[in-house]
């Protein structure tokens, strides 16, 4: 397949085919894991408990079937294209509905394209899932540069702004003159920025797990705080606790020393598993363990994509790049924007409206950071509801 939308942008078919030797190496490494000691009775207070991780790692080694999940991913057409000097991998699912709206969906960390598997069918083929043809989307689901099958970026400077520019180029190469953007976590950075840099083509932006541009940074004026609703006060309190507490440790490490972190995560599957599993435990809604809110095979498929592609370090580099890029202000966005606020999210409407054209806002009492895996039906319904406003 080559581009018909813009000359010079070759698009190459791609298929995931992990060598058996890599899977054998993983099983061998898991079998030889050097487990640390731990103090008794602390549970999760000091991090992932040894007992929990040993059990999950044993299932990873002897119960989890990568080939099954590799085949599931390969059911969807995949491609790569070189954009701004870096490789970009993406799924491209054309809806059977002729009036479908193109929608580019962007994952975050520690996610991957695999986190969207439960929403692809309902979004691309709504009539096959009890929906209406008018809600159909053509889906473009890229791996962030440095992540997964996009592989390590070849140079520094890949911030979320640069990714947004790459996405605009990708959509032009695919020949889509009008499209929507959706994303959570890093995707909630990239998607609004895409609306700012390509407003003539982006019909609307939908986000979940939104932070930057959707929450206050720094102290909140006491008079303003007094006007907060209970829900807003709860979100602010949780966000402040996370930023100031141990829950922000992952950010400090990835934003300052991603290369040092990369050695352990690239060499030790148990280390990679613990690093990601802890985030699922902390960020999923009401999860006592990482696989309480998200099926453990879904969790492990995400972990596998980082492990097999050796992109733990390159993925962490995005934190470093954004932190060190400097910030010179942001123009208010004019693109219609919808926000889904799940139970573990932090977005507060009054702050979102200061820099975004908010036309749709939904708050849920369930679901968390990984909405496409935790609450796919709710996410699909909210994406449909928002884009009905601007189709």
């Amino acid at each position: 397949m080559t581009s018909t939308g813009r000359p010079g942008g070759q698009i190459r078919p791609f298929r995931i085919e992990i060598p058996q030797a890599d899977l054998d190496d993983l099983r061998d490494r898991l079998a030889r894991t050097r487990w640390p000691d731990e103090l008794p009775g602390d549970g999760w207070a000091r991090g992932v408990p040894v007992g929990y991780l040993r059990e999950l790692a044993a299932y990873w080694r002897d119960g989890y079937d990568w080939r099954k999940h590799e085949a599931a991913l390969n059911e969807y057409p995949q491609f790569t294209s070189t954009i701004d000097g870096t490789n970009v991998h993406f799924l491209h699912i054309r809806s059977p509905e002729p009036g479908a709206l193109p929608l580019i969906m962007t994952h975050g960390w520690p996610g991957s394209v695999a986190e969207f598997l439960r929403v692809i069918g309902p979004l691309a083929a709504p009539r096959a899932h009890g929906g209406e043809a008018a809600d159909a989307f053509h889906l473009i689901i890229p791996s962030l540069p440095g992540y997964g099958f996009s592989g390590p970026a070849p140079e520094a400077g890949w911030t979320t702004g640069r990714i947004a520019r790459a996405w605009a180029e990708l959509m032009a190469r695919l020949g889509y003159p009008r499209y929507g953007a959706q994303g959570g976590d890093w995707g909630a950075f990239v998607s609004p920025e895409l609306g700012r840099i390509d407003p003539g083509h982006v019909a609307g932006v939908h986000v979940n797990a939104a932070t930057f541009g959707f929450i206050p940074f720094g102290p909140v004026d006491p008079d303003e705080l007094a006007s907060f609703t209970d829900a807003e006060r709860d979100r602010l309190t949780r966000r402040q606790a996370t930023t100031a507490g141990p829950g922000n440790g992952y950010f400090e490490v990835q934003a300052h020393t991603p290369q040092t972190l990369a050695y352990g995560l690239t060499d030790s599957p148990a280390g990679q598993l613990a690093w990601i599993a802890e985030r699922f435990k902390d960020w999923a809604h009401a999860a006592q363990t990482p696989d309480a809110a998200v099926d453990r095979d879904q969790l492990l498929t995400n972990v596998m994509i980082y492990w097999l592609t050796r992109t733990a370090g390159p993925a962490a580099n995005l934190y470093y790049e954004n932190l060190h890029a400097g910030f010179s202000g942001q123009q208010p966005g004019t693109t219609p924007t919808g926000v889904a606020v799940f139970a573990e999210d932090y977005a507060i409407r009054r702050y979102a409206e200061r820099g975004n054209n908010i036309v749709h806002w939904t708050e849920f009492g369930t679901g968390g950071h990984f909405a496409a895996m935790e609450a796919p039906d709710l996410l699909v319904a909210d994406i449909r509801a928002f884009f009905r406003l601007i189709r």
Side-chain angles (χ1 to χ4, degrees), residues 23-42:
L23 304 182
D24 294 341
D25 175 69
L26 171 61
R27 294 189 78 251
D28 180 61
R29 286 172 183 264
L30 287 168
R32 293 185 296 105
T33 300
R34 294 179 62 193
W35 295 102
D37 293 327
E38 66 179 347
L39 294 174
D42 271 356

Side-chain angles (χ1 to χ4, degrees), residues 82-266:
T82 301
I83 302 176
D84 192 11
T86 198
N87 182 63
V88 173
H89 160 263
F90 61 99
L91 281 62
H92 187 192
I93 301 97
R94 294 278 300 181
S95 172
E97 305 297 343
L101 176 71
L103 179 66
I104 184 166
M105 304 186 75
T106 307
H107 67 84
W109 182 89
S112 68
V113 295
E115 73 182 67
F116 295 115
L117 289 179
R118 296 178 69 185
V119 304
I120 288 175
L123 290 174
R127 286 195 293 172
H129 295 81
E132 301 293 331
D135 288 324
F137 297 92
H138 301 306
L139 299 178
I140 303 88
I141 306 176
S143 298
L144 290 166
Y147 284 65
F149 300 106
S150 284
E155 62 183 5
W158 276 95
T159 61
T160 51
R162 188 170 175 181
I163 292 169
R165 292 191 292 273
W167 281 191
E169 172 63 21
L170 174 61
M171 297 304 278
R173 289 185 185 184
L174 292 173
Y176 290 131
R178 184 174 186 269
Y179 61 93
Q182 199 284 328
D185 188 78
W186 281 128
F189 282 63
V190 173
S191 299
E193 185 64 16
L194 182 55
R196 287 182 172 87
I197 67 170
D198 199 20
H201 300 104
V202 179
V205 170
H206 182 278
V207 296
N208 63 284
T211 53
F212 177 72
F214 295 84
I215 62 174
F217 278 85
V220 175
D221 181 88
D223 290 339
E224 183 168 34
L225 184 60
S227 69
F228 271 33
T229 65
D230 289 343
E232 290 173 334
R233 192 182 300 272
D234 173 70
R235 284 179 219 138
L236 178 64
T237 300
R238 287 189 290 106
R239 176 62 184 176
Q240 290 174 333
T242 298
T243 303
N248 206 44
Y250 82 95
F251 176 91
E252 295 297 333
V253 173
Q254 298 198 146
H256 293 284
T257 57
Q259 186 62 42
T260 302
L261 175 68
Y263 296 108
L265 301 191
T266 304

Side-chain angles (χ1 to χ4, degrees), residues 53-90:
L53 202 72
R54 289 189 75 136
E55 191 276 329
L56 186 58
Y59 174 76
W60 190 11
R61 180 176 185 268
D62 298 319
Y64 173 82
D65 182 359
W66 164 255
R67 293 301 186 199
K68 171 185 173 182
H69 298 284
E70 180 184 67
L73 284 164
N74 281 332
E75 288 180 5
Y76 300 106
Q78 297 172 64
F79 305 89
T80 61
S81 191
T82 301
I83 302 176
D84 192 11
T86 198
N87 182 63
V88 173
H89 160 263
F90 61 99

Side-chain angles (χ1 to χ4, degrees), residues 161-370:
R162 188 170 175 181
I163 292 169
R165 292 191 292 273
W167 281 191
E169 172 63 21
L170 174 61
M171 297 304 278
R173 289 185 185 184
L174 292 173
Y176 290 131
R178 184 174 186 269
Y179 61 93
Q182 199 284 328
D185 188 78
W186 281 128
F189 282 63
V190 173
S191 299
E193 185 64 16
L194 182 55
R196 287 182 172 87
I197 67 170
D198 199 20
H201 300 104
V202 179
V205 170
H206 182 278
V207 296
N208 63 284
T211 53
F212 177 72
F214 295 84
I215 62 174
F217 278 85
V220 175
D221 181 88
D223 290 339
E224 183 168 34
L225 184 60
S227 69
F228 271 33
T229 65
D230 289 343
E232 290 173 334
R233 192 182 300 272
D234 173 70
R235 284 179 219 138
L236 178 64
T237 300
R238 287 189 290 106
R239 176 62 184 176
Q240 290 174 333
T242 298
T243 303
N248 206 44
Y250 82 95
F251 176 91
E252 295 297 333
V253 173
Q254 298 198 146
H256 293 284
T257 57
Q259 186 62 42
T260 302
L261 175 68
Y263 296 108
L265 301 191
T266 304
D267 189 61
S268 168
Q272 177 69 93
L273 179 61
W275 192 247
I276 289 180
E278 187 173 50
R279 300 281 66 76
F280 273 80
K281 192 264 183 186
D282 288 350
W283 295 350
H285 179 54
Q288 298 302 309
T289 61
D291 51 345
V294 174
D295 176 81
R296 63 169 44 187
D297 273 23
Q298 287 185 297
L299 168 64
L300 288 171
T301 298
N302 256 315
V303 175
M304 282 290 277
I305 289 174
Y306 285 86
W307 174 259
L308 294 170
T309 60
R310 304 184 185 187
T311 52
N317 277 334
L318 183 52
Y319 288 82
Y320 184 96
E321 298 292 353
N322 260 34
L323 183 68
H324 291 82
F327 181 66
S328 57
Q330 185 180 59
Q331 292 296 319
T334 59
T335 303
T337 300
V339 183
V341 185
F342 289 89
E344 293 297 318
D345 291 344
Y346 303 121
I348 296 175
R349 184 162 187 163
R350 66 183 73 196
Y351 296 102
E353 289 178 337
R354 294 176 183 178
N356 303 276
N357 178 18
I358 304 298
V359 301
H360 174 89
W361 187 276
T362 312
E363 299 183 5
F364 297 99
T366 188
H369 188 85
F370 307 99

